[in-house]
């Protein structure tokens, strides 16, 4: 199925199925679900959004930029390995498939019906060590940690800039950091490209 066909049909459905089990169990073992819970209890609805410019500045700082670059290099390597393994298994993707992992540990798997079925069958039959499901989950864990760090830096900078009093800095910082409760990492891979996106990531594609 071509991507244009997907658009005409209006379907890029999210599927929560057995394919998610390895990802979910791995993420749970890493404690990401508890981290998300802690973030959610930091404040209530009505949080102030972090402006993109602040995120870009934080992501561009030397330490963060290096980590972002390393993650992008790693995701390209993972995508290459995944495509190679799929090719050996006779799997050919017609369009992109996406693994969206949220900070609450939930996973969404998106793509055309044919590509989702092929990728699901491949991952369920995968016996590599570590498995590709674990590698994708591990990548998501690293991206979520980096994203949180970038958002914290951006929130500190923004709070110091906008707060009208010393006491207001922490209050504004807490409000800004409520946004991390909805952080989402999206790993997209197709037959010839890949990308890893998350709050604070630089728009780089393989």
């Amino acid at each position: 199925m071509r991507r244009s066909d997907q658009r005409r049909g209006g379907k890029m459905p999210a599927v929560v199925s057995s394919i998610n089990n390895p990802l979910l169990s791995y993420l749970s073992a890493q404690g990401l679900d508890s981290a998300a819970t802690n973030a959610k209890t930091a404040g209530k609805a009505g949080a102030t959004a972090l402006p993109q410019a602040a995120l870009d500045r934080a992501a561009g700082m030397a330490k963060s930029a290096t980590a972002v670059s390393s993650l992008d290099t790693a995701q390209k390597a993972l995508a290459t390995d995944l495509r190679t393994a799929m090719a050996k298994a006779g799997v050919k993707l017609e369009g992109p498939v996406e693994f969206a992992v949220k900070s609450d540990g939930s996973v969404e798997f998106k793509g055309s019906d044919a590509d989702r079925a092929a990728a699901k069958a491949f991952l369920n039959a995968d016996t590599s060590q570590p498995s590709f499901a674990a590698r994708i989950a591990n990548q998501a864990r690293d991206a979520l940690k980096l994203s949180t760090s970038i958002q914290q830096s951006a929130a500190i900078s923004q709070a110091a800039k906008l707060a009208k009093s010393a006491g207001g800095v922490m209050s504004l910082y807490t409000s800004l950091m409520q946004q991390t409760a909805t952080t989402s990492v999206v790993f997209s891979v197709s037959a010839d490209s890949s990308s890893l996106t998350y709050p604070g990531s630089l728009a780089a594609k393989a």
Side-chain angles (χ1 to χ4, degrees):
M1 179 181 292
R2 295 180 181 177
R3 295 180 66 179
S4 59
D5 295 331
Q6 295 173 28
R7 294 192 184 97
R8 284 196 297 269
K11 293 184 178 180
M12 275 289 279
V15 174
V16 178
S17 63
S18 61
I19 191 174
N20 295 337
N21 292 338
L23 289 171
L24 288 172
S25 61
Y26 189 83
L27 287 169
S28 179
Q30 301 305 314
L32 287 179
D33 47 356
S34 60
T37 299
N38 291 336
K40 290 177 181 177
T41 58
K44 298 181 180 180
T48 303
L50 276 169
Q52 187 59 47
L55 287 170
D56 290 343
R57 285 194 297 272
M61 296 175 64
K63 183 177 181 180
S64 293
T66 297
V68 169
S69 179
S70 295
L71 259 181
D72 189 54
T73 298
Q75 73 84 7
K76 291 175 183 177
L78 173 56
T80 297
D81 291 347
L82 183 57
R83 282 192 292 263
T84 298
M86 283 185 168
K88 289 182 178 179
V91 176
K92 182 179 180 181
L93 298 176
E94 296 298 326
V97 291
E98 293 183 357
F99 300 89
V101 182
K102 297 182 180 180
S103 53
D104 62 3
S106 61
V107 179
E108 287 185 323
F109 181 42
K110 300 180 180 181
S112 70
D113 290 344
D115 285 341
R116 284 189 293 106
K120 175 183 174 180
F122 169 79
L123 291 179
N124 284 341
D126 178 31
T127 58
S128 58
Q129 293 296 329
S131 68
F132 279 103
R135 291 179 65 182
I136 292 170
N138 189 59
Q139 175 179 261
R141 179 200 63 185
D142 292 343
L144 285 169
K145 287 183 177 179
L146 175 57
S147 181
T148 297
S149 177
I150 289 173
Q151 290 180 89
Q152 286 175 335
S153 294
I156 290 172
S157 175
Q158 194 71 2
K161 178 181 178 181
L162 300 179
K164 297 181 179 180
S165 66
V169 173
M170 183 54 68
S171 177
L172 182 54
Y173 169 78
T174 299
S175 179
L176 289 167
M177 282 308 295
Q178 289 178 40
Q179 299 302 303
T180 63
T182 57
T183 295
S184 180
V185 173
V186 179
F187 175 53
S188 176
V189 61
S190 66
D192 54 13
S193 67
S194 66
S195 65
L196 180 67
T197 56
Y198 49 91
S201 65
L202 302 181
K205 293 187 176 181

